[in-house]
């Protein structure tokens, strides 16, 4: 592999890792909203579930969509 390809894959891995980490942090924030006093005393189930859902989609579906985008870009 050339150094140009190495740099491209390092950049892609960094983006992939940040996407997964941001999804995990969103999930944990949602759990904190549900069970903690972050938004209101006693928790806020409805808002927390929305944030948890966004975090799960971000962490689980985001990398799949990103990989498909990169495969399309590489074919061009």
């Amino acid at each position: 592999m050339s150094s140009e390809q190495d740099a491209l894959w390092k950049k892609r891995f960094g983006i992939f890792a940040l996407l997964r980490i941001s999804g995990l942090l969103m999930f944990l924030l949602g759990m904190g909203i549900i069970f903690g006093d972050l938004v209101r005393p006693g928790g806020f189930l409805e808002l927390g579930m929305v944030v948890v859902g966004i975090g799960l989609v971000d962490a689980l579906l985001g990398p799949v969509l990103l990989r498909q985008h990169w495969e399309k870009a590489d074919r061009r």
Side-chain angles (χ1 to χ4, degrees), residues 51-68:
V51 175
V52 164
I54 291 170
L56 285 175
V57 168
D58 187 25
L60 300 176
L61 188 60
V64 173
L65 296 174
L66 193 59
R67 183 187 55 119
Q68 289 175 353

Side-chain angles (χ1 to χ4, degrees), residues 30 33-35 39-40 42-54:
I33 291 171
I34 292 171
F35 296 111
V39 176
R40 68 180 184 194
F44 191 7
L45 179 65
E46 294 82 9
L47 177 63
M49 291 301 289
V50 170
V51 175
V52 164
I54 291 170

